[in-house]
Amino acid sequence: MKNRQIYNCQEGCPIESTLQIISGKWKAVILYHFTKNNVHHFGELQRNMLDCSRRMLALQLKELESDGIIQKTIYPAMPPKTEYQLTAFGETLIPVINAMEKWGNYYNQRSLDRLN
Amino acid sequence: MKNRQIYNCQEGCPIESTLQIISGKWKAVILYHFTKNNVHHFGELQRNMLDCSRRMLALQLKELESDGIIQKTIYPAMPPKTEYQLTAFGETLIPVINAMEKWGNYYNQRSLDRLN
DNA sequence: CAGCATCCCGAATGATACTG
DNA sequence: CAGTATCATTCGGGATGCTG
């Protein structure tokens, strides 16, 4: 038996794999919205993420789509309408987002407490 | 400690808060090592993260330290020796890292399966 | 409305050398 | 060994305008 490391961050590091998918300035935030509602429209996401430019939102959605995390449905009409939703694969990410949400809430509360 | 990237979603968005602490190219990977072992040395972390430059490792450790996630102990000797470990606060992040690890392993396995 | 193309800047990171 | 200093470079992402 080889003396091999149980965990390594050289190749196949699970953290790096996860980061590969959900890093990017807005992806985790986008996915957070999907844990709250199954379906979203472009404009709606935009209104919920005012600091994310239209360009960035489009880019990040596109990458999430090409990674198989979300899928979009285009309704050919004028004006155009697009619906985004998590794929089954994308849903497997929910626990990660939930953990981030939970810790963020804890962190925010802790910060408030420290002001008093 | 200047020029840190700020992630803004909505006010008090928990995801934003979490990203503020663990985003950065290597922080989550560093924390991952801390979930496996309580104490780490600089050189040891470096050997486990060959793609992270010494400079980046030092930078990210410093930020994690100033955010209260890890603490370091310096043993004044020659050659110098420094130990890093999670603070109690830092330990609250473990579930987040664990969720990322779990998903990353799932993702890696899934990728392997798809090759066959 | 949703999204792409172009131009551009500055933060993030790398490379290299130096030090207690 | 465990960093820091300095310079160079990449690239994420902002601003704006155009289009189906």
Side-chain angles (χ1 to χ4, degrees), chain A residues 25-99:
Chain A
K25 195 167 178 181
W26 295 101
K27 287 184 189 173
V29 177
I30 292 172
L31 292 173
Y32 172 57
H33 287 292
F34 279 101
T35 66
K36 300 298 179 185
N37 274 303
N38 200 4
V39 179
H40 290 277
H41 298 196
F42 191 91
E44 178 211 352
L45 284 170
Q46 229 193 311
R47 280 189 297 281
N48 284 320
M49 298 164 57
L50 293 178
D51 290 326
C52 176
S53 67
R54 206 179 351 161
R55 175 183 178 277
M56 277 314 297
L57 182 55
L59 274 177
Q60 307 266 295
L61 285 171
K62 207 180 195 177
E63 289 191 6
L64 287 172
E65 191 193 355
S66 83
D67 283 332
I69 306 297
I70 60 176
Q71 60 192 350
K72 79 172 158 182
T73 311
I74 304 178
Y75 295 96
M78 197 51 99
K81 187 173 175 180
T82 313
E83 282 185 357
Y84 292 91
Q85 55 188 311
L86 285 179
T87 60
F89 176 49
E91 285 173 1
T92 64
L93 268 171
I94 292 180
V96 179
I97 304 298
N98 282 344

Side-chain angles (χ1 to χ4, degrees), chain B residues 11 20 74 90 98 114:
Chain B
E11 254 182 66
Q20 237 174 339
I74 304 178
N98 281 344
R114 302 205 140 196

Side-chain angles (χ1 to χ4, degrees), chain B residues 3-5 25 51 53-56 60 80:
Chain B
N3 291 339
R4 294 193 48 181
Q5 192 169 9
K25 197 168 177 181
D51 290 330
S53 67
R54 207 179 347 164
R55 181 179 113 84
M56 277 313 297
Q60 306 265 294

